[in-house]
Amino acid sequence: MSITSFSYLGFVAVVLILYYAVKPAWQSRFLLLSSLVFYVLAGEGYTIIYLVVSTVSTYYAAKAIHAETEDRKAKRILTVTLLLNFGILAIVKYYGFILWNVNAVRGWFGSEAIGTSLHIAASLGVSYYTLQLVGYLLDCYWKVGMVQTDFLGFALFACYFPQMTSGPISRYKQIQADLYKEHSFDYAQVTHGLKRMAWGFFKKMVIADRLGLIVNSVYGNYESYNLVIIWAGIFCFALQLYTDFSGCMDIVLGTSECFGIVLPENFRNPFFSTTIQEFWQRWHITLGTWLKDYIMDPVLKSDTWIKLGEKSRKRLGKKWGKRVPTYLGMLILWLAMGLWHGSGWKFIIGEGLWFWIVIITGNMCSKSLQKINQRLHINPKNVIWVTFQRLRTFFIFSLGLICFRAADMGEVFAVLKAGVTHLSQRGFSQVRGDLGLINLIMLCIALIIFAAAEIMQNRGIDLFDRITECPVVISWSVYLIICGMILLSLSISGQSFIYAGF
């Protein structure tokens, strides 16, 4: 059951009506039941066993750690539970990748490859709920979070249906208050949530799916296109990924808002960033902060890293002695970022190493670049300079996404080569033919609307409140235009959300 389908809308409508119809004290239990039903309908039903094992193990481990007085025993419970949860994730998500690498190593030594016909279906949202549960467990171990003693209440946190497909990765202390309190029907809140859902449908179905037609055409036949169209396809994929994923988040957060539950934001207008580091602070925010708080920071605070810092300062001096441990800690974070995005070396290289190299290079060169700017009398707030920085950041991000979109590293290099050497191949007319004139016109109109909305949101303006404040004729005209464009996009829609695969 895709969250852009009529079945999802029907499911949400029924759940929403019953949610406000039942006794307020039963609302959280009803949401849990609805979430379990959604899980079975939206994914492979039998994979619910993975979710049950992760939920039960984390719940009882947190209680045991909280009651344990000896840190050694508490750490043992933590370690076993982490191995269990990450073990499930590794088996269902990385089994094929692990086997491929094992066979590659065996091939180097002349051994035969290990063959297997084993197929393991991934659990719906396993990458998201695993990190969410692990974060809760670590908070309990570090005594910075409250232990939930109600199993059914904890189960709702683990499988709350709006965020099961693509996140966001919530922290228990962020949403516990909204998740369990009694909610009365609030017209303004529900309608605001529905408007946000509609905006998500617009971004996904009207923009992302049309951009997908261009991207699929270019990547599927890049040998035949000239370099201008190839680079257009590369940049279109960056826009497609953003409108696809942020559109999904709008639907998820809008759905949750209808129930009175506020989930954390996952995007903050990333294409207005002037550096890659700032970009990743605005893109997939909940994943980035999770990796920083639960992987990078603990590594930097570990005894091993502290000793590494001391040795580095003795051998390399104060300046570089401080940087080396930090950069190595960032390397671990970015390798984890790449591995989370997919089970393949193209993700580790394109989503991990590439952005790590860009960020540390920027950090190392920042002071030198500031001096050059001062000598050239460049005002850092100058519109032209800021625009250049934003375009540069977009270009660097788009380069990394070639690894994300291409089938493998061989295709990555082939696309890059074609983007430099293809001068006389087919051009825009072929893309226009693949997309269709009507779709092209609608895409251009939608991108103008989208760009205006992004500018408003980047300035701190609530798009939906601003539309509501307009005269009735104008506000309803906007609603009808948005809904009309969504309905006209039903024929080309149907592509699943890109990040639902993770």
Side-chain angles (χ1 to χ4, degrees):
M1 179 168 51
S2 169
I3 64 174
T4 56
S5 65
F6 285 112
S7 56
Y8 177 78
L9 290 175
F11 178 82
V12 170
V14 171
V15 173
L16 192 62
I17 292 170
L18 294 177
Y19 177 77
Y20 287 111
V22 301
K23 291 181 179 180
W26 297 353
Q27 286 177 332
S28 62
R29 298 295 192 253
F30 176 72
L31 266 187
L32 172 59
L33 177 62
S34 302
S35 297
L36 293 175
V37 171
F38 175 82
Y39 190 94
V40 173
L41 293 176
E44 294 284 352
Y46 71 89
T47 62
I48 197 171
I49 188 64
Y50 307 142
L51 175 63
V52 171
V53 170
S54 294
T55 302
V56 172
S57 63
T58 304
Y59 172 76
Y60 284 105
K63 290 187 68 176
I65 288 172
H66 180 70
E68 187 56 63
T69 56
E70 293 186 33
D71 184 63
R72 181 174 57 85
K73 292 182 179 179
K75 187 175 291 186
R76 189 180 302 164
I77 296 170
L78 173 70
T79 302
V80 171
T81 312
L82 291 179
L83 289 174
L84 174 63
N85 280 275
F86 282 126
I88 293 173
L89 179 62
I91 291 172
V92 301
K93 185 174 179 179
Y94 303 107
Y95 173 77
F97 179 59
I98 294 171
L99 184 63
W100 183 90
N101 282 281
V102 168
N103 284 333
V105 174
R106 287 174 64 86
W108 295 341
F109 294 96
S111 301
E112 293 184 3
I114 301 173
T116 178
S117 58
L118 180 64
H119 171 71
I120 303 175
S123 174
L124 178 68
V126 63
S127 297
Y128 299 95
Y129 72 69
T130 298
L131 296 193
Q132 191 161 294
L133 292 175
V134 166
Y136 163 81
L137 184 64
L138 288 171
D139 283 346
C140 293
Y141 175 74
W142 292 329
K143 302 188 186 306
V144 296
M146 187 181 77
V147 176
Q148 171 60 268
T149 57
D150 175 23
F151 176 74
L152 294 181
F154 180 74
L156 175 59
F157 165 72
C159 67
Y160 179 48
F161 84 87
Q163 62 181 16
M164 281 303 293
T165 53
S166 299
I169 302 167
S170 302
R171 311 287 178 92
Y172 181 71
K173 54 190 174 184
Q174 284 179 321
I175 67 171
Q176 60 177 338
D178 283 345
L179 203 57
Y180 307 123
K181 76 177 183 181
E182 300 175 359
H183 298 277
S184 57
F185 181 80
D186 185 325
Y187 176 81
Q189 177 179 269
V190 172
T191 54
H192 190 278
L194 293 174
K195 291 171 187 174
R196 182 157 191 181
M197 288 177 67
W199 181 240
F201 286 123
F202 176 82
K203 288 201 284 188
K204 161 63 177 171
M205 299 172 68
V206 182
I207 301 177
D209 286 352
R210 281 185 172 80
L211 287 171
L213 297 176
I214 299 174
V215 173
N216 293 340
S217 177
V218 172
Y219 273 89
N221 199 20
Y222 59 87
E223 303 95 339
S224 303
Y225 286 111
N226 63 41
L227 58 85
V228 174
I229 300 303
I230 290 172
W231 281 105
I234 291 171
F235 297 141
C236 280
F237 179 64
L239 286 172
Q240 180 198 3
L241 186 63
Y242 176 54
T243 50
D244 183 279
F245 194 13
S246 67
C248 174
M249 288 298 99
D250 285 324
I251 297 171
V252 167
L253 271 65
T255 301
S256 189
E257 187 177 353
C258 290
F259 295 101
I261 300 170
V262 178
L263 296 176
E265 294 288 344
N266 226 6
F267 291 93
R268 197 175 68 253
N269 310 108
F271 291 143
F272 289 90
S273 306
T274 56
T275 65
I276 282 294
Q277 186 165 356
E278 180 191 357
F279 184 95
W280 280 99
Q281 292 169 351
R282 291 168 169 249
W283 176 284
H284 209 338
I285 298 169
T286 58
L287 175 62
T289 55
W290 193 98
L291 292 173
K292 177 183 178 297
D293 293 344
Y294 296 111
I295 292 184
M296 182 176 169
D297 286 351
V299 165
L300 293 179
K301 294 175 182 177
S302 66
D303 293 338
T304 301
W305 238 252
I306 292 173
K307 291 178 182 178
L308 175 63
E310 293 172 352
K311 292 180 180 179
S312 298
R313 282 190 290 272
K314 288 179 181 178
R315 295 184 180 183
L316 303 175
K318 185 177 180 181
K319 179 182 176 181
W320 282 99
K322 184 178 179 181
R323 286 183 174 182
V324 168
T326 302
Y327 290 161
L328 290 177
M330 291 173 62
L331 175 61
I332 293 175
L333 181 149
W334 281 102
L335 289 176
M337 177 77 80
L339 192 59
W340 183 91
H341 276 89
S343 56
W345 284 106
K346 66 170 189 165
F347 294 104
I348 295 174
I349 294 171
E351 289 292 308
L353 290 175
W354 167 246
F355 291 112
W356 175 71
I357 291 171
V358 170
I359 289 174
I360 66 168
T361 301
N363 288 341
M364 288 188 292
C365 299
S366 60
K367 290 187 177 180
S368 299
L369 291 174
Q370 286 177 3
K371 291 179 180 178
I372 293 174
N373 290 346
Q374 289 173 358
R375 289 178 181 176
L376 295 175
H377 303 291
I378 296 176
N379 181 355
K381 295 184 179 180
N382 181 275
V383 174
I384 296 176
W385 176 245
V386 171
T387 301
F388 165 75
Q389 289 179 303
R390 288 171 176 170
L391 291 174
R392 177 195 61 192
T393 301
F394 178 75
F395 176 77
I396 293 171
F397 176 68
S398 300
L399 276 180
L401 290 187
I402 298 176
C403 292
F404 195 101
R405 179 59 180 78
D408 50 41
M409 288 305 299
E411 187 171 288
V412 170
F413 293 118
V415 170
L416 286 172
K417 180 181 178 181
V420 176
T421 60
H422 285 198
L423 300 175
S424 58
Q425 281 78 358
R426 293 183 299 177
F428 176 73
S429 59
Q430 181 61 37
V431 174
R432 185 179 62 187
D434 293 339
L435 183 62
L437 181 60
I438 300 299
N439 281 329
L440 181 61
I441 293 172
M442 187 172 290
L443 176 60
C444 291
I445 294 172
L447 286 173
I448 292 172
I449 296 173
F450 167 72
E454 286 286 298
I455 292 171
M456 290 175 62
Q457 291 175 338
N458 190 58
R459 293 175 178 175
I461 301 171
D462 188 298
L463 176 65
F464 315 110
D465 287 344
R466 181 58 62 89
I467 294 174
T468 303
E469 293 168 359
C470 292
V472 175
V473 174
I474 295 177
S475 60
W476 276 98
S477 296
V478 173
Y479 299 149
L480 291 174
I481 290 171
I482 296 297
C483 291
M485 294 181 76
I486 293 172
L487 291 174
L488 290 172
S489 302
L490 290 173
S491 60
I492 67 161
S493 186
Q495 303 177 46
S496 61
F497 284 99
I498 298 172
Y499 262 77
F502 306 121

